mmCIF file of all heavy atoms in Angstrom:
data_model
loop_
_atom_site.group_PDB
_atom_site.id
_atom_site.type_symbol
_atom_site.label_atom_id
_atom_site.label_comp_id
_atom_site.label_asym_id
_atom_site.label_seq_id
_atom_site.Cartn_x
_atom_site.Cartn_y
_atom_site.Cartn_z
ATOM 1 N N GLY A 17 -16.028 24.479 17.353
ATOM 2 C CA GLY A 17 -16.797 25.648 17.755
ATOM 3 C C GLY A 17 -17.534 25.480 19.074
ATOM 4 O O GLY A 17 -18.206 26.411 19.534
ATOM 5 N N GLY A 18 -17.426 24.313 19.703
ATOM 6 C CA GLY A 18 -18.070 24.107 21.000
ATOM 7 C C GLY A 18 -17.466 24.999 22.070
ATOM 8 O O GLY A 18 -16.298 25.387 21.990
ATOM 9 N N LYS A 19 -18.268 25.346 23.056
ATOM 10 C CA LYS A 19 -17.815 26.252 24.107
ATOM 11 C C LYS A 19 -17.773 25.554 25.464
ATOM 12 O O LYS A 19 -18.606 24.706 25.757
ATOM 13 C CB LYS A 19 -18.731 27.480 24.179
ATOM 14 C CG LYS A 19 -18.680 28.358 22.937
ATOM 15 C CD LYS A 19 -19.553 29.589 23.089
ATOM 16 C CE LYS A 19 -19.467 30.468 21.854
ATOM 17 N NZ LYS A 19 -20.314 31.690 21.992
ATOM 18 N N LEU A 20 -16.789 25.934 26.266
ATOM 19 C CA LEU A 20 -16.681 25.403 27.626
ATOM 20 C C LEU A 20 -17.820 25.950 28.486
ATOM 21 O O LEU A 20 -18.287 27.073 28.265
ATOM 22 C CB LEU A 20 -15.342 25.821 28.239
ATOM 23 C CG LEU A 20 -14.097 25.139 27.663
ATOM 24 C CD1 LEU A 20 -12.845 25.929 28.048
ATOM 25 C CD2 LEU A 20 -13.985 23.710 28.182
ATOM 26 N N PRO A 21 -18.262 25.191 29.498
ATOM 27 C CA PRO A 21 -19.288 25.698 30.412
ATOM 28 C C PRO A 21 -18.814 26.982 31.099
ATOM 29 O O PRO A 21 -17.625 27.122 31.420
ATOM 30 C CB PRO A 21 -19.446 24.561 31.437
ATOM 31 C CG PRO A 21 -18.944 23.347 30.745
ATOM 32 C CD PRO A 21 -17.855 23.808 29.822
ATOM 33 N N LYS A 22 -19.715 27.902 31.303
ATOM 34 C CA LYS A 22 -19.345 29.196 31.881
ATOM 35 C C LYS A 22 -18.789 29.070 33.296
ATOM 36 O O LYS A 22 -17.974 29.882 33.732
ATOM 37 C CB LYS A 22 -20.560 30.131 31.886
ATOM 38 C CG LYS A 22 -21.006 30.543 30.492
ATOM 39 C CD LYS A 22 -22.199 31.482 30.553
ATOM 40 C CE LYS A 22 -22.638 31.892 29.145
ATOM 41 N NZ LYS A 22 -23.821 32.802 29.178
ATOM 42 N N ASP A 23 -19.234 28.034 34.025
ATOM 43 C CA ASP A 23 -18.811 27.898 35.420
ATOM 44 C C ASP A 23 -17.618 26.961 35.590
ATOM 45 O O ASP A 23 -17.276 26.596 36.716
ATOM 46 C CB ASP A 23 -19.970 27.399 36.281
ATOM 47 C CG ASP A 23 -20.462 26.019 35.861
ATOM 48 O OD1 ASP A 23 -20.087 25.577 34.743
ATOM 49 O OD2 ASP A 23 -21.212 25.391 36.624
ATOM 50 N N ILE A 24 -16.950 26.595 34.499
ATOM 51 C CA ILE A 24 -15.906 25.576 34.601
ATOM 52 C C ILE A 24 -14.732 26.029 35.469
ATOM 53 O O ILE A 24 -14.084 25.227 36.140
ATOM 54 C CB ILE A 24 -15.404 25.149 33.202
ATOM 55 C CG1 ILE A 24 -14.586 23.844 33.317
ATOM 56 C CG2 ILE A 24 -14.592 26.259 32.534
ATOM 57 C CD1 ILE A 24 -14.338 23.163 32.010
ATOM 58 N N GLU A 25 -14.456 27.319 35.497
ATOM 59 C CA GLU A 25 -13.326 27.804 36.295
ATOM 60 C C GLU A 25 -13.616 27.776 37.791
ATOM 61 O O GLU A 25 -12.727 28.021 38.604
ATOM 62 C CB GLU A 25 -12.929 29.206 35.842
ATOM 63 C CG GLU A 25 -12.312 29.213 34.439
ATOM 64 C CD GLU A 25 -11.801 30.577 34.030
ATOM 65 O OE1 GLU A 25 -11.519 31.391 34.927
ATOM 66 O OE2 GLU A 25 -11.669 30.828 32.818
ATOM 67 N N LEU A 26 -14.862 27.469 38.160
ATOM 68 C CA LEU A 26 -15.212 27.343 39.577
ATOM 69 C C LEU A 26 -14.910 25.938 40.098
ATOM 70 O O LEU A 26 -14.891 25.719 41.303
ATOM 71 C CB LEU A 26 -16.696 27.667 39.790
ATOM 72 C CG LEU A 26 -17.155 29.067 39.361
ATOM 73 C CD1 LEU A 26 -18.658 29.222 39.567
ATOM 74 C CD2 LEU A 26 -16.403 30.149 40.140
ATOM 75 N N PHE A 27 -14.678 25.001 39.189
ATOM 76 C CA PHE A 27 -14.423 23.627 39.604
ATOM 77 C C PHE A 27 -13.062 23.515 40.286
ATOM 78 O O PHE A 27 -12.089 24.118 39.862
ATOM 79 C CB PHE A 27 -14.432 22.671 38.399
ATOM 80 C CG PHE A 27 -15.726 22.630 37.641
ATOM 81 C CD1 PHE A 27 -15.753 22.227 36.319
ATOM 82 C CD2 PHE A 27 -16.925 22.987 38.244
ATOM 83 C CE1 PHE A 27 -16.943 22.187 35.602
ATOM 84 C CE2 PHE A 27 -18.112 22.953 37.557
ATOM 85 C CZ PHE A 27 -18.130 22.553 36.228
ATOM 86 N N GLU A 28 -13.015 22.721 41.340
ATOM 87 C CA GLU A 28 -11.743 22.387 41.990
ATOM 88 C C GLU A 28 -11.366 20.978 41.558
ATOM 89 O O GLU A 28 -12.206 20.078 41.569
ATOM 90 C CB GLU A 28 -11.881 22.460 43.518
ATOM 91 C CG GLU A 28 -12.224 23.862 44.051
ATOM 92 C CD GLU A 28 -11.109 24.870 43.815
ATOM 93 O OE1 GLU A 28 -9.939 24.446 43.720
ATOM 94 O OE2 GLU A 28 -11.410 26.070 43.708
ATOM 95 N N CYS A 29 -10.123 20.783 41.165
ATOM 96 C CA CYS A 29 -9.746 19.454 40.685
ATOM 97 C C CYS A 29 -8.259 19.192 40.912
ATOM 98 O O CYS A 29 -7.458 20.114 41.076
ATOM 99 C CB CYS A 29 -10.074 19.311 39.195
ATOM 100 S SG CYS A 29 -9.181 20.455 38.131
ATOM 101 N N ASP A 30 -7.907 17.917 40.916
ATOM 102 C CA ASP A 30 -6.507 17.509 40.996
ATOM 103 C C ASP A 30 -5.888 17.385 39.604
ATOM 104 O O ASP A 30 -4.698 17.658 39.419
ATOM 105 C CB ASP A 30 -6.384 16.162 41.716
ATOM 106 C CG ASP A 30 -6.747 16.259 43.185
ATOM 107 O OD1 ASP A 30 -6.569 17.338 43.772
ATOM 108 O OD2 ASP A 30 -7.222 15.251 43.752
ATOM 109 N N TYR A 31 -6.716 16.976 38.617
ATOM 110 C CA TYR A 31 -6.220 16.767 37.257
ATOM 111 C C TYR A 31 -7.258 17.252 36.252
ATOM 112 O O TYR A 31 -8.460 17.185 36.506
ATOM 113 C CB TYR A 31 -5.951 15.282 36.962
ATOM 114 C CG TYR A 31 -5.059 14.591 37.960
ATOM 115 C CD1 TYR A 31 -5.610 13.872 39.029
ATOM 116 C CD2 TYR A 31 -3.668 14.623 37.829
ATOM 117 C CE1 TYR A 31 -4.799 13.222 39.944
ATOM 118 C CE2 TYR A 31 -2.854 13.971 38.741
ATOM 119 C CZ TYR A 31 -3.421 13.275 39.794
ATOM 120 O OH TYR A 31 -2.620 12.630 40.708
ATOM 121 N N ILE A 32 -6.778 17.702 35.117
ATOM 122 C CA ILE A 32 -7.602 17.861 33.924
ATOM 123 C C ILE A 32 -7.010 16.942 32.866
ATOM 124 O O ILE A 32 -5.802 16.954 32.625
ATOM 125 C CB ILE A 32 -7.606 19.316 33.395
ATOM 126 C CG1 ILE A 32 -8.417 20.222 34.325
ATOM 127 C CG2 ILE A 32 -8.183 19.372 31.976
ATOM 128 C CD1 ILE A 32 -8.402 21.680 33.915
ATOM 129 N N ILE A 33 -7.859 16.126 32.248
ATOM 130 C CA ILE A 33 -7.413 15.256 31.165
ATOM 131 C C ILE A 33 -8.303 15.511 29.958
ATOM 132 O O ILE A 33 -9.520 15.334 30.022
ATOM 133 C CB ILE A 33 -7.472 13.766 31.560
ATOM 134 C CG1 ILE A 33 -6.562 13.499 32.770
ATOM 135 C CG2 ILE A 33 -7.041 12.890 30.381
ATOM 136 C CD1 ILE A 33 -6.622 12.072 33.286
ATOM 137 N N CYS A 34 -7.694 15.960 28.863
ATOM 138 C CA CYS A 34 -8.427 16.192 27.620
ATOM 139 C C CYS A 34 -8.255 14.985 26.709
ATOM 140 O O CYS A 34 -7.128 14.620 26.360
ATOM 141 C CB CYS A 34 -7.910 17.448 26.923
ATOM 142 S SG CYS A 34 -8.449 18.977 27.698
#
Side-chain angles (χ1 to χ4, degrees):
K19 295 183 179 180
L20 289 163
K22 292 181 180 179
D23 62 346
I24 194 166
E25 291 185 23
L26 301 177
F27 300 157
E28 297 294 334
C29 62
D30 292 331
Y31 307 95
I32 288 177
I33 300 176
C34 285

